[in-house]
């Protein structure tokens, strides 16, 4: 099938582009490059051995996106990655988050109606579960609109919008994928996560400390009710995540479904830092800091619905993710930015 990736030049989008092409599909990308680089798509294309058409535009720019789709179409499905994703920033700039994240999903659904595209896979997040009542998290675990931050609310609202759209149009195939914590990089070391500024997330932060561009990792709390006192998360290798999108596109049926994409294996902050230290062959300096506002002690999934419904499960370990992340970080200390001469 031919698949449009909105936000396809980002971290998860670029890895998914490679996975889709390797599975025999065609990919076209629209991305406004606000937190991504055309270099990611150039490298994804060379890894997969295909030219990937790229439109540098906001997916809400409907006339340009429609013209691009008509030029390269017909398109069979959209994977909607585009959106803003910094939790703290969403608290400071809520209206911008609603504008971009809701507006881009509305634009994608309008495009699909106009161009008769039946299938959408949406990047949702485990953040929609809020503070878990029970673990592991299942797709039928409670979610709410009453979440801690506007970012999470936009993910939840778009899920509801997809559900309503699928109820109104029986031909629509809509899948929301609730990502747990994506980590790692392509094993070639050519594409990976390239956050602008200081990373908010743990693994890219640890990677920058390992490469020497940041001094030490702050551990946000070591007094949680967990085995070593630090937070537990379900870290999923980005290649497993990419394969989950391929499976979702290939297995999508009429209606709306949600799936957790995670490993089901909880890993603590200290365990992740130790694994990264082994992968990089160096000691990672740390300092214990107070808890970060809004963090939960533990978040990990029951991945069985995706195994049964999509025939997909994660296969890569945290050690592989650390090795691949380290390879990317050490080979590209400045990310996609051209090296200084
Ligand atoms: N952590 C640190 N130090 C850091 C960064 C993180 O100790 O410098 C800890 C956090 O307290 C947490 C764990 O590492 O225990 C993971 O934190 P991340 O920021 O990497 O990830 P989160 O689980 O907080 O959030 C991620 C995504 C969100 C998404 C959420 C879903 O960033 O977009 O998972 O659960 F919504």
């Amino acid at each position: 099938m031919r698949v449009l990736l909105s936000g396809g030049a980002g971290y998860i989008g670029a890895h998914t582009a490679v996975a889709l092409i390797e599975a025999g599909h065609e990919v076209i990308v629209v991305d406004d490059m606000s937190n991504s680089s055309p270099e990611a798509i150039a490298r994804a294309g060379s890894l997969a051995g295909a030219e990937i058409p790229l439109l540098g535009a906001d997916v809400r720019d409907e006339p340009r996106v429609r013209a691009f789709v008509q030029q390269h179409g017909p398109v069979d499905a959209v994977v909607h990655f585009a959106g803003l994703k910094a939790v703290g920033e969403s608290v400071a700039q809520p209206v911008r988050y609603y504008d971009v994240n809701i507006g881009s999903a509305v634009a994608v659904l309008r495009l699909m109606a106009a161009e008769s595209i039946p299938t959408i896979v949406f990047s949702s997040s485990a953040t929609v579960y809020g503070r878990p009542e029970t673990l592991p998290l299942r797709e039928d675990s409670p979610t709410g609109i009453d979440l801690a931050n506007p970012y999470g609310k936009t993910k939840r609202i778009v899920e509801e919008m997809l559900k309503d759209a699928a109820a109104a149009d029986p031909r629509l195939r809509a899948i929301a994928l609730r990502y747990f914590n994506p980590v790692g990089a392509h094993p070639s070391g050519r594409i990976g996560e390239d956050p602008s500024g200081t990373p908010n997330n743990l693994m890219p932060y640890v990677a920058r400390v390992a490469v020497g561009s940041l001094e030490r990792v702050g551990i946000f709390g070591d007094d949680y009710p967990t085995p070593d006192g630090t937070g537990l998360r379900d870290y999923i290798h980005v290649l497993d995540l990419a394969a989950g999108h391929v499976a979702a596109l290939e297995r999508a049926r009429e209606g709306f479904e949600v799936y957790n994409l995670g490993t089901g294996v909880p890993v603590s902050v200290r365990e992740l830092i130790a694994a990264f230290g082994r992968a990089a062959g160096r000691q990672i300096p740390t300092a214990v800091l107070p808890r970060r506002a809004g963090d939960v002690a533990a978040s990990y999934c029951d991945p069985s619905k995706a195994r049964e419904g999509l025939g997909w499960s994660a296969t890569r370990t945290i050690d592989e993710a650390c090795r691949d992340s380290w390879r990317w970080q050490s080979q590209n200390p400045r990310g996609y930015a051209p090296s200084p001469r």
Side-chain angles (χ1 to χ4, degrees):
M1 67 183 100
R2 187 175 294 119
V3 187
L4 171 69
L5 308 185
S6 78
Y11 172 43
I12 301 166
H15 289 85
T16 301
V18 174
L20 280 167
I21 296 166
E22 286 176 350
H25 303 294
E26 269 180 60
V27 165
I28 67 173
V29 169
V30 53
D31 196 305
D32 71 355
M33 305 296 163
S34 59
N35 188 24
S36 57
S37 161
E39 179 65 12
I41 283 302
R43 293 189 189 185
S46 84
L47 282 172
E51 190 79 24
I52 302 175
L54 170 63
L55 173 68
D58 189 314
V59 72
R60 293 172 297 167
D61 187 343
E62 294 182 31
R64 284 184 72 196
V65 176
R66 267 193 86 176
F68 178 68
V69 163
Q70 285 165 3
Q71 184 190 349
H72 295 282
V75 162
D76 305 293
V78 180
V79 184
H80 179 45
F81 295 107
L84 301 174
K85 61 172 189 178
V87 172
E89 187 182 68
S90 80
V91 175
Q93 303 173 17
V95 178
R96 180 168 164 242
Y97 269 68
Y98 287 107
D99 186 11
V100 173
N101 289 7
I102 311 291
S104 63
V106 169
V108 165
L109 285 168
R110 287 161 55 113
L111 170 81
M112 291 170 64
E115 297 296 324
S116 304
I117 303 170
T119 304
I120 177 167
V121 170
F122 169 60
S123 299
S124 188
S125 167
T127 197
V128 302
Y129 293 115
R131 203 160 282 281
E133 285 171 17
T134 53
L135 289 163
L137 290 158
R138 294 166 43 90
E139 289 77 354
D140 56 8
S141 296
T143 55
I145 291 293
D146 184 25
L147 298 162
N149 60 76
Y151 162 76
K153 293 182 195 182
T154 65
K155 293 294 180 191
R156 190 71 196 100
I157 291 167
V158 172
E159 286 190 354
E160 289 299 314
M161 191 161 71
L162 291 176
K163 189 171 166 188
D164 293 342
D169 177 357
R171 290 163 306 176
L172 187 67
R173 300 156 179 245
I175 292 185
L177 298 176
R178 293 178 177 162
Y179 308 158
F180 280 71
N181 291 60
V183 291
H186 194 273
S188 64
R190 297 284 295 153
I191 55 174
E193 187 170 14
D194 184 21
S196 48
T198 307
N200 293 312
N201 297 117
L202 181 62
M203 191 173 293
Y205 200 102
V206 174
R208 296 265 176 103
V209 171
V211 84
S213 59
L214 290 169
E215 210 171 312
R216 62 173 59 84
V217 183
I219 295 175
F220 296 148
D222 68 351
D223 57 352
Y224 283 105
T226 59
D228 68 12
T230 67
L232 295 176
R233 294 291 183 275
D234 186 336
Y235 296 96
I236 174 168
H237 195 298
V238 66
L239 257 60
D240 282 329
L241 201 61
H245 292 75
V246 177
L249 285 165
E250 291 177 347
R251 296 281 194 109
R253 286 194 306 241
E254 287 77 10
F256 172 73
E257 276 297 343
V258 312
Y259 292 99
N260 288 336
L261 293 188
T263 64
V265 180
V267 170
S268 77
V269 173
R270 284 200 193 281
E271 286 171 333
L272 184 146
I273 295 169
F276 208 101
R278 287 194 299 275
R282 52 189 75 184
Q283 194 70 26
I284 311 283
T286 60
V288 176
L289 300 179
R291 292 182 181 189
R292 181 170 66 180
D295 274 357
V296 299
S299 165
Y300 53 93
C301 76
D302 173 348
S304 52
K305 186 179 174 193
R307 190 170 60 236
E308 284 147 26
L310 302 177
W312 169 91
S313 48
T315 60
R316 294 168 179 87
T317 63
I318 192 72
D319 291 298
E320 285 174 84
C322 290
R323 275 201 301 274
D324 292 334
S325 172
W326 173 241
R327 192 176 298 111
W328 154 254
Q329 183 69 58
S330 52
Q331 289 179 12
N332 307 267
R334 291 160 41 83
Y336 293 114
S339 359
R341 284 168 195 277

